[in-house]
Amino acid sequence: MSESIGLIVGLVLTLLIYSYLLGDNPLYRIAIHLLVGVTAAYSAIVVFRQVMLPIYEQVQQDPTNPDNFIWLVPIFLGLLLLLKRLPTISWLGNISLALLIGVGAAISLTGALIGTLWPQVTAVSNTPQLFPGQGIVVAVLTASTLAAFQFSGRTDHDGQWTQPGWQRAIGTVGQLVVTMTFGVLFATVINSSLILLSDRLGYVLRFFGI
Amino acid sequence: MSSEKKCNNCGFKNTPGSKFCNNCGNKLPLSTHIICPNCQTNNSIDRIFCDNCGTRLIEDDPLPEEPQQEEPPKSSGKAFTLPTRRPGDTGHLDPNILPEWLKTGETNNLDQPDEEEFQELPDIDIGNSKPLPKLEEQTAAKSLTDDLPDWLVKSNDSDPIIAEPDGISTELYLDLVDQSEDFDESSLPFDASDANLPDWLTGAGLFKDDTSITPSESDTGKLPPISEEDVVESESSGLTELFSSMESDSAIEPDFASSESDISGLTALFSDLQDDESEASKSDDEAESSSGLTEWLSELSQSDMDNQDAPAADSGTEESEWLQDTEDESSSEPGAWTAWLELPEAQSEEGSISEIVPDDDDLADEIAENLAAEQAGISADFAELFKADDSSDANDLPDWMTNIEAADESLIASDSEDLDEDLFSLEGNAAQSELDWLMQTGELSMPDEPSGVDIPSELDIPAEEIEGQYLDEAEGDLDWLSDLASLDTSSLQQDDEFISEEVAQPDKVDKVADGDDWQDKELLADSSEVADAAEQEEPLDIELSIDAQVSEWLDSAPGSSGLDETAVSDDLDSLFSDISDMVEGETPTPAKGFTDWLEFSDELEEAELEAQAEGSVAADDSDESFSEWDGLLSELKPDDSGQDSAQSELPDWISDLNLDERVKPLELTTSVDETALVETEGPLAGLRDVISVASVITLIQDEVAVPEFTVTPEQRQQLELLRQLSHDDAKSDTSKDDATHSNTSLTRILLAMLLLAAMLVGFLLPDLLPERLLPEQPTTIGALTAVDASAGKTVLVAFEYTPALAGELAPQSQLLLDHLAQNGSHVVAISQHAAGVALATSALEEHGGDLMGYLPGEAVGLRQLSDCLNQKADRCTMLSGELGNDANQTVLDDVSMILVFTGQRDSLIHWIEQVGATTDIPVVAGITQALEPVAAPYYASGQLAGMIAGAPATAVYDSLTNETSVNGTLAGEVGNESAQLISMQLLSQTMGQIIIVAVFIVGLFIYGILYPLVNRRKNL
């Protein structure tokens, strides 16, 4: 029974979402609001149960343990974040935000360097060549892509903004590369969407026993 | 500002303080500096105290008031000169600088002055003041004839009015008066009304004389004896009456009690100098006596008075006196003509100046009658001098008297319009000159002149030249008035304090303007009117030519031979200047420039008085700053009470100078109407030279050439892209009609239905498509290899997706978990998404495994997790919650492979960068098809051991693991639910892709081919 209710609710919500084909409507909004609300509530419960409650239990078991005092720091920073709601002392919350953003940026930058940039640079020569001069082609296409976003130029005697011919040529190649990339991404997105749609269609068909 | 004075004639630069050019002798324009009397330092005109020594430069004594008549004589100097003086107010007369002929009354020895006679001049005892120095000490070097007009002394005419006398005596002038009374006016060849008396003569009638100076006969020696009674009766005696009257209001006059002298003429002069208002009560009963030249002048004035309106009853007594004197021609006493001089003050006090203004018509008539009968030509010319028409009474009034009338109509009964007309007429303009009356007298010699337009032929100069000479003439005109003005100033100054005579008249006018006085307005108005008249009436303006030109024909006038006109003019200047100095007190001071009286207005004077009363004015030795003076000025308010006097003090000829336009290019380049520059509103109120905001705003700005702007195709494309990104097109679509909107919605619905139908076909008609084999991609093979390599080991599975992507990733996760389970791997689930925890829980329930839980912190959390992996558990101290328990720590130490299911780029990148890059644990990514382009490079670089991207890769992986066909139909055959679901999804996806491609092609055909064709046909 509960499974059937779940299937019905799932079907109704699916239809509500697809009602967007008729345009923005309250049914669609209801489905969106339910999704957001349930997700937020579920996230809160998960965080509380799997993060805060274990920590509380740990501290409660041995409150005098000096190792537990370390939790005062995140608690204090968390309280400072709550002060962001008070305009007069909201600046205190900036301390926590600064810590979060600073640490996050540092971690991300470090990871980007050691996890993406350097491995990708070294991989050009290490990976097997699909065709001769692959590296040169990759370099040229990369440079042309960067040149496509170069808008600097000079004004000619007529006062018209213009770019050198070579720069426009490289920029044109870069625009083609970007266009192809966007086309591929868009196609993959469409494919993913079609899979999701088919999943929903299969769900509906299964619901009706087809 | 340079203090050098440049001569307008020769351009020679003279030393500061020079009145005349050191090179050519031309009269220099008055400067704008005040020379300190103590240290001779040039001070700015607006200084009160000397910048160098602190000596006060400007008189600060209060205005003498009427009740001060009984006060003892004191040197209450007013800072202002003639204009600020009330009728009858006189200054200190310095007998030392009186002209010789006024002192002695004799002209016998004019050409050859006898020093011994001069030495015999007595010391005049002026009341309580110390005895005056001997006159000859001051005037011995002068010629006696210098003080006479040229036309009187020098005349080449065969029958002059006054033959060049052997000596000028009282009898001479009495005879002249007698002749003038008998003169037939009708015989005059010109309009007697044009005989404009000099202003100072006419204006002298305004003054009152209550005092008398009676030097002893032995002192003068040369004056005819005069009885004591006569002396007492002659309150106003001759010309001196003028100055005594001018001093009558002030309390400066010493007590000239020694009226026992029986002299006339000069005696009367000095007695008049002592005219004090304390004796005003006695004036009504006193008879008039006069002799010498003053008597002659008095007769002229009496004649003028005859034609005046009936005097007021209050002044009837005095008027009757001079009327009697007029009638009694034989008496010819010195006080006869001067009586009218004293009358004006009294009458002005009664509020009727018109009654006291002497009317010289009768006198002129008499002169005309007399001379016309006996003499012709030049004699009549002289009579013309004193002839005046009844209607032009005001013409003979000094301009500053007419201002009195303008200020208080009750004072003057004559028509002010006549005054104005006369002012702007030829005669009026000519009267501006100190030699106006001389000029007009000389005009009598011009037989061609039809009427009162007395224009000498030699003066017929172009109007442009006149305009250029206007200022020069004006300066020349100012000579006698300046000296007369200095009379006032000196009378109001302290002994050792005076205002430099170098103060330029224009600056004085500006100074008056500083006080926001009505005088300024009137002055400027008058000046502008005169300027207009000067421009429009070119012939009339000829009379405004310079004195030098006047002197030419004057020299030719009868009786003018032998005397230099300029000398006479200078003598007159010096006369009044010296008299003023004499009036001032014991200490002779240099002759004051006429501009002294212009230097300060009544308001300034009152301000000083107020400042003194408040103690704000420091002592003479204090160093008073200029700001203090400005402060006084700022506090000044136009005083209506003083308007009459102040107005009367501004002669129209000053206005006629049109200083704001004519003088400015010369010396007053910086003298502008400062009142117009003073900000009156806003925070800058009181500051000068404030540029008006309105004027700045209203300035016409020059058009700035805007370069031509051309939009390149690239820019258009970029703009179009920005519009699309900002949904500008969508906003513009809102303006479309409902039909278009409904068509769009209908099209969208139709496309959606078409897509759904196609995908349903994939589910409902699985055999519609032929069986096909998907290619085995390396990424999928790598994933299979990694999974197989982790068999029996711990595999960390990250569920980094939400239920929204579960339709695509859920088959992958189920397939891989089955494969892991088949390989005996220990699955430990973790997620950084709360929803992923739920999905992980659901997946683990079906396929077995442990849930580590939620990992917060995204990249940071993954970095912490990476520290716990790969046998680095000793450093794994920061994992919190359930991840931090000991069991999880042990599991993390044994992780051999990481399997990440995600549909988000950041999640994939974070896992690769933070965990995969920092550990040696292989990472396999089960991702959506959309994320395949992102993950492909990482697989290419070896950072990903394998990759399963989307449903196709899942189907391939399934076929590899289960050795089944990828065809969906096969899934049903093998009974693998997951494989069947994946097969049906692939068929449905394929149908959907076909429909999309078809719609895309149709769309391109319609909008790319048909639409342009249709539009082209329409255009054709």
Side-chain angles (χ1 to χ4, degrees):
Chain A
M1 182 62 183
S2 59
E3 184 177 0
S4 299
I5 295 175
L7 290 175
I8 295 172
V9 172
L11 176 63
V12 172
L13 291 177
T14 301
L15 295 177
L16 292 179
I17 293 296
Y18 282 107
S19 67
Y20 189 74
L21 290 174
L22 303 176
D24 192 5
N25 57 83
L27 298 178
Y28 171 77
R29 291 177 177 274
I30 289 173
I32 294 296
H33 291 169
L34 285 175
L35 176 63
V36 173
V38 170
T39 304
Y42 187 80
S43 300
I45 292 173
V46 169
V47 170
F48 177 77
R49 289 186 57 183
Q50 297 191 13
V51 177
M52 299 181 65
L53 186 60
I55 295 174
Y56 173 75
E57 293 175 352
Q58 179 182 349
V59 174
Q60 189 178 19
Q61 292 176 357
D62 189 4
T64 60
N65 188 355
D67 296 338
N68 294 330
F69 293 155
I70 192 65
W71 297 110
L72 295 177
V73 175
I75 292 174
F76 175 74
L77 294 177
L79 293 176
L80 291 181
L81 282 177
L82 295 177
L83 297 180
K84 294 291 291 183
R85 300 295 302 172
L86 303 177
T88 55
I89 54 177
S90 62
W91 59 272
L92 292 174
N94 295 336
I95 299 174
S96 302
L97 289 178
L99 180 63
L100 292 176
I101 294 173
V103 173
I107 296 297
S108 299
L109 180 61
T110 305
L113 290 175
I114 64 176
T116 301
L117 185 60
W118 178 251
Q120 293 297 319
V121 171
T122 57
V124 173
S125 58
N126 295 332
T127 56
Q129 300 289 321
L130 299 179
F131 53 90
Q134 178 182 355
I136 297 176
V137 173
V138 172
V140 170
L141 294 180
T142 303
S144 61
T145 302
L146 295 176
F149 295 95
Q150 181 67 24
F151 299 103
S152 62
R154 65 181 62 180
T155 55
D156 56 7
H157 57 279
D158 295 332
Q160 187 174 4
W161 176 85
T162 183
Q163 284 182 319
W166 60 270
Q167 186 175 352
R168 283 183 294 175
I170 296 177
T172 303
V173 174
Q175 290 178 358
L176 292 175
V177 173
V178 171
T179 302
M180 293 172 62
T181 305
F182 285 161
V184 172
L185 292 176
F186 184 70
T188 56
V189 171
I190 289 177
N191 286 333
S192 296
S193 299
L194 291 176
I195 292 296
L196 294 177
L197 178 61
S198 63
D199 178 69
R200 286 295 91 188
L201 288 176
Y203 177 81
V204 172
L205 294 176
R206 287 197 300 272
F207 178 78
F208 291 100
I210 302 174
Chain B
M1 179 184 294
S2 175
S3 58
E4 291 183 346
K5 303 177 69 174
K6 186 176 181 181
C7 177
N8 294 331
N9 184 28
C10 63
F12 183 80
K13 293 182 179 180
N14 298 275
T15 57
S18 299
K19 290 183 64 179
F20 297 92
C21 178
N22 298 332
N23 184 33
C24 65
N26 187 36
K27 188 171 183 64
L28 296 175
L30 301 177
S31 67
T32 58
H33 285 76
I34 300 177
I35 295 179
C36 174
N38 184 31
C39 62
Q40 306 301 321
T41 299
N42 268 351
N43 293 274
S44 178
I45 187 62
D46 45 17
R47 298 297 184 190
I48 300 177
F49 295 98
C50 177
D51 290 335
N52 185 33
C53 63
T55 301
R56 189 175 184 86
L57 304 174
I58 302 170
E59 289 293 331
D60 57 351
D61 288 348
L63 274 171
E65 298 177 354
E66 294 298 335
Q68 295 176 350
Q69 293 175 356
E70 298 178 357
E71 295 178 357
K74 62 180 182 180
S75 57
S76 60
K78 291 195 295 184
F80 310 99
T81 59
L82 180 61
T84 61
R85 179 166 301 166
R86 298 183 178 181
D89 189 5
T90 60
H92 291 288
L93 294 178
D94 185 1
N96 299 330
I97 56 176
L98 278 178
E100 193 64 27
W101 57 275
L102 282 178
K103 298 174 182 177
T104 61
E106 293 183 3
T107 58
N108 295 331
N109 300 324
L110 289 178
D111 297 334
Q112 296 177 355
D114 189 354
E115 296 182 355
E116 296 178 358
E117 293 179 352
F118 285 111
Q119 292 175 356
E120 293 175 357
L121 287 174
D123 293 336
I124 301 174
D125 183 15
I126 304 176
N128 296 331
S129 63
K130 65 182 182 180
L132 296 171
K134 292 183 179 181
L135 300 177
E136 57 269 23
E137 296 177 356
Q138 304 295 330
T139 60
K142 282 190 172 181
S143 172
L144 296 177
T145 57
D146 290 347
D147 297 327
L148 289 177
D150 293 343
W151 56 272
L152 284 177
V153 182
K154 298 179 180 180
S155 175
N156 297 328
D157 194 271
S158 58
D159 190 9
I161 299 175
I162 304 174
E164 183 172 3
D166 296 334
I168 298 175
S169 62
T170 303
E171 289 75 10
L172 171 63
Y173 296 105
L174 291 175
D175 293 337
L176 291 175
V177 172
D178 293 340
Q179 294 175 5
S180 63
E181 291 176 349
D182 297 333
F183 183 74
D184 184 9
E185 184 178 358
S186 60
S187 62
L188 294 175
F190 63 97
D191 187 4
S193 62
D194 297 329
N196 194 0
L197 282 177
D199 295 342
W200 61 271
L201 276 180
T202 310
L206 294 172
F207 301 112
K208 178 182 177 181
D209 184 15
D210 293 335
T211 63
S212 62
I213 302 174
T214 57
S216 62
E217 180 180 359
S218 58
D219 292 336
T220 59
K222 300 176 180 58
L223 297 175
I226 188 170
S227 64
E228 180 178 355
E229 180 180 359
D230 293 337
V231 173
V232 173
E233 293 176 352
S234 59
E235 299 176 9
S236 304
S237 177
L239 182 60
T240 58
E241 192 72 13
L242 163 68
F243 310 111
S244 60
S245 301
M246 298 170 67
E247 195 63 18
S248 60
D249 283 344
S250 66
I252 308 173
E253 297 81 5
D255 184 14
F256 296 97
S258 58
S259 59
E260 296 178 355
S261 174
D262 55 355
I263 63 172
S264 61
L266 181 60
T267 304
L269 165 66
F270 295 115
S271 62
D272 294 341
L273 294 176
Q274 306 307 316
D275 180 21
D276 193 319
E277 291 186 2
S278 62
E279 299 176 10
S281 59
K282 302 184 297 183
S283 61
D284 294 341
D285 300 334
E286 293 175 354
E288 301 169 350
S289 63
S290 176
S291 64
L293 179 58
T294 57
E295 182 177 343
W296 160 73
L297 292 173
S298 67
E299 291 296 333
L300 298 180
S301 300
Q302 291 171 9
S303 299
D304 291 340
M305 294 295 294
D306 292 341
N307 290 337
Q308 292 293 332
D309 296 338
D314 296 339
S315 59
T317 303
E318 295 183 33
E319 181 180 18
S320 61
E321 291 177 2
W322 64 266
L323 286 175
Q324 291 172 1
D325 293 337
T326 305
E327 295 174 0
D328 187 8
E329 300 174 1
S330 61
S331 63
S332 301
E333 293 181 356
W337 74 274
T338 56
W340 64 270
L341 289 175
E342 64 176 310
L343 288 174
E345 179 187 5
Q347 294 182 352
S348 63
E349 296 174 357
E350 299 297 329
S352 175
I353 285 182
S354 62
E355 299 170 353
I356 62 175
V357 173
D359 190 352
D360 54 356
D361 290 347
D362 291 344
L363 176 59
D365 293 342
E366 292 174 3
I367 295 174
E369 291 174 3
N370 186 17
L371 298 181
E374 299 177 2
Q375 301 175 354
I378 302 306
S379 299
D381 294 344
F382 177 72
E384 180 67 14
L385 167 65
F386 308 102
K387 183 179 182 298
D389 187 77
D390 292 343
S391 61
S392 62
D393 290 342
N395 298 343
D396 298 329
L397 292 175
D399 296 334
W400 53 276
M401 287 187 64
T402 60
N403 290 335
I404 293 178
E405 179 187 38
D408 188 356
E409 295 179 356
S410 61
L411 297 178
I412 302 176
S414 60
D415 189 1
S416 60
E417 295 180 357
D418 295 338
L419 295 175
D420 297 337
E421 292 175 358
D422 180 70
L423 170 65
F424 299 113
S425 65
L426 172 63
E427 293 76 19
N429 293 332
Q432 300 166 3
S433 173
E434 66 185 57
L435 298 177
D436 288 345
W437 57 287
L438 296 176
M439 295 167 61
Q440 295 192 6
T441 303
E443 289 163 4
L444 298 176
S445 63
M446 304 301 295
D448 295 338
E449 287 298 322
S451 63
V453 181
D454 303 325
I455 304 174
S457 59
E458 53 269 22
L459 299 180
D460 189 11
I461 55 178
E464 296 78 5
E465 185 176 353
I466 294 174
E467 186 173 0
Q469 297 169 346
Y470 190 88
L471 181 61
D472 297 335
E473 181 200 3
E475 294 174 352
D477 291 342
L478 308 180
D479 293 342
W480 66 273
L481 282 174
S482 63
D483 295 332
L484 187 59
S486 65
L487 171 66
D488 290 333
T489 302
S490 59
S491 66
L492 301 173
Q493 287 179 332
Q494 299 289 349
D495 294 342
D496 55 349
E497 297 175 354
F498 65 95
I499 301 172
S500 172
E501 60 186 359
E502 295 185 358
V503 178
Q505 175 214 352
D507 280 356
K508 301 309 174 188
V509 175
D510 286 346
K511 193 63 181 179
V512 174
D514 288 344
D516 295 336
D517 199 348
W518 57 271
Q519 297 178 6
D520 177 45
K521 299 177 180 178
E522 183 177 358
L523 176 65
L524 296 177
D526 293 342
S527 60
S528 61
E529 292 175 358
V530 173
D532 295 338
E535 295 175 357
Q536 298 175 1
E537 302 178 11
E538 297 179 2
L540 302 181
D541 291 341
I542 294 174
E543 278 198 2
L544 302 176
S545 57
I546 57 177
D547 296 338
Q549 293 170 321
V550 176
S551 62
E552 294 177 4
W553 61 269
L554 281 176
D555 292 338
S556 62
S560 63
S561 61
L563 287 177
D564 183 59
E565 182 270 341
T566 57
V568 175
S569 175
D570 296 339
D571 291 339
L572 289 175
D573 298 344
S574 60
L575 163 64
F576 292 104
S577 176
D578 297 341
I579 288 174
S580 64
D581 296 335
M582 181 178 67
V583 171
E584 184 175 1
E586 298 84 2
T587 303
T589 57
K592 307 300 182 295
F594 84 100
T595 53
D596 291 345
W597 63 271
L598 277 176
E599 185 168 2
F600 303 100
S601 62
D602 283 342
E603 289 75 12
L604 301 178
E605 188 175 0
E606 293 174 4
E608 271 200 45
L609 294 176
E610 294 177 1
Q612 283 186 343
E614 297 173 359
S616 61
V617 177
D620 293 342
D621 56 351
S622 65
D623 186 12
E624 189 168 354
S625 62
F626 174 62
S627 60
E628 178 183 356
W629 180 247
D630 271 349
L632 294 175
L633 292 177
S634 62
E635 296 175 0
L636 292 177
K637 301 295 182 183
D639 189 4
D640 296 335
S641 60
Q643 187 172 358
D644 295 342
S645 60
Q647 200 171 20
S648 64
E649 293 154 6
L650 275 181
D652 288 345
W653 55 265
I654 295 180
S655 303
D656 297 341
L657 295 178
N658 199 8
L659 298 173
D660 55 342
E661 297 179 3
R662 298 180 181 278
V663 184
K664 191 183 301 180
L666 294 176
E667 209 170 347
L668 290 181
T669 53
T670 59
S671 298
V672 294
D673 187 4
E674 297 185 4
T675 57
L677 301 177
V678 176
E679 187 73 5
T680 58
E681 297 178 350
L684 300 180
L687 299 180
R688 296 173 179 173
D689 299 330
V690 176
I691 301 176
S692 175
V693 177
S695 60
V696 174
I697 294 176
T698 55
L699 286 178
I700 300 176
Q701 301 293 337
D702 295 335
E703 293 184 357
V704 179
V706 179
E708 185 178 357
F709 178 76
T710 304
V711 180
T712 62
E714 292 80 4
Q715 291 174 336
R716 287 196 179 94
Q717 294 176 0
Q718 296 167 4
L719 178 62
E720 187 66 22
L721 178 60
L722 289 175
R723 285 178 178 175
Q724 294 175 2
L725 294 175
S726 61
H727 303 284
D728 279 354
D729 291 342
K731 291 180 181 178
S732 62
D733 291 340
T734 58
S735 62
K736 296 179 180 179
D737 52 6
D738 295 338
T740 305
H741 181 70
S742 60
N743 292 334
T744 305
S745 300
L746 181 59
T747 304
R748 185 172 54 186
I749 293 174
L750 290 176
L751 291 176
M753 294 297 106
L754 181 61
L755 181 60
L756 287 175
M759 297 185 71
L760 286 174
V761 170
F763 279 98
L764 299 177
L765 302 174
D767 298 331
L768 184 62
L769 295 177
E771 185 178 354
R772 61 187 179 94
L773 295 176
L774 295 177
E776 297 179 357
Q777 298 179 353
T779 56
T780 306
I781 297 174
L784 180 60
T785 305
V787 171
D788 292 338
S790 62
K793 298 180 181 177
T794 302
V795 176
L796 181 61
V797 180
F799 289 85
E800 305 290 351
Y801 61 93
T802 60
L805 298 178
E808 188 176 8
L809 296 177
Q812 295 181 16
S813 61
Q814 292 178 7
L815 183 60
L816 288 174
L817 289 177
D818 287 340
H819 190 196
L820 290 173
Q822 294 174 3
N823 293 337
S825 300
H826 180 216
V827 176
V828 178
I830 193 172
S831 175
Q832 287 193 302
H833 293 274
V837 175
L839 295 175
T841 303
S842 176
L844 293 178
E845 290 177 356
E846 183 177 355
H847 303 284
D850 296 330
L851 180 62
M852 296 186 64
Y854 174 72
L855 177 63
E858 297 186 351
V860 176
L862 292 177
R863 175 60 64 90
Q864 293 175 347
L865 178 63
S866 67
D867 292 340
C868 299
L869 297 174
N870 202 10
Q871 290 81 33
K872 295 187 295 185
D874 54 341
R875 296 186 299 174
C876 183
T877 58
M878 296 302 295
L879 287 179
S880 59
E882 294 183 358
L883 294 178
N885 57 34
D886 295 337
N888 289 334
Q889 289 290 341
T890 304
V891 172
L892 292 176
D893 288 340
D894 298 333
V895 171
S896 59
M897 190 189 70
I898 299 175
L899 181 60
V900 179
F901 296 101
T902 181
Q904 298 178 350
R905 176 185 176 275
D906 291 340
S907 294
L908 178 63
I909 298 300
H910 287 162
W911 274 101
I912 295 173
E913 291 178 350
Q914 303 298 332
V915 178
T918 57
T919 63
D920 297 332
I921 302 174
V923 178
V924 177
I927 56 178
T928 62
Q929 197 171 0
L931 200 59
E932 185 179 4
V934 177
Y938 290 100
Y939 175 78
S941 63
Q943 293 177 275
L944 287 178
M947 180 178 64
I948 304 173
T954 304
V956 171
Y957 186 85
D958 184 42
S959 64
L960 294 177
T961 56
N962 298 321
E963 295 180 355
T964 57
S965 175
V966 181
N967 194 323
T969 57
L970 185 60
E973 294 176 355
V974 297
N976 190 330
E977 185 179 0
S978 176
Q980 291 180 353
L981 180 59
I982 294 173
S983 177
M984 294 176 63
Q985 289 180 348
L986 287 177
L987 289 176
S988 176
Q989 182 188 33
T990 303
M991 293 300 295
Q993 292 174 345
I994 294 173
I995 294 297
I996 291 174
V997 171
V999 171
F1000 182 76
I1001 294 174
V1002 173
L1004 286 177
F1005 177 78
I1006 293 175
Y1007 290 97
I1009 298 175
L1010 292 182
Y1011 223 72
L1013 291 176
V1014 173
N1015 291 334
R1016 184 176 300 175
R1017 289 181 179 179
K1018 290 181 178 178
N1019 295 331
L1020 294 176

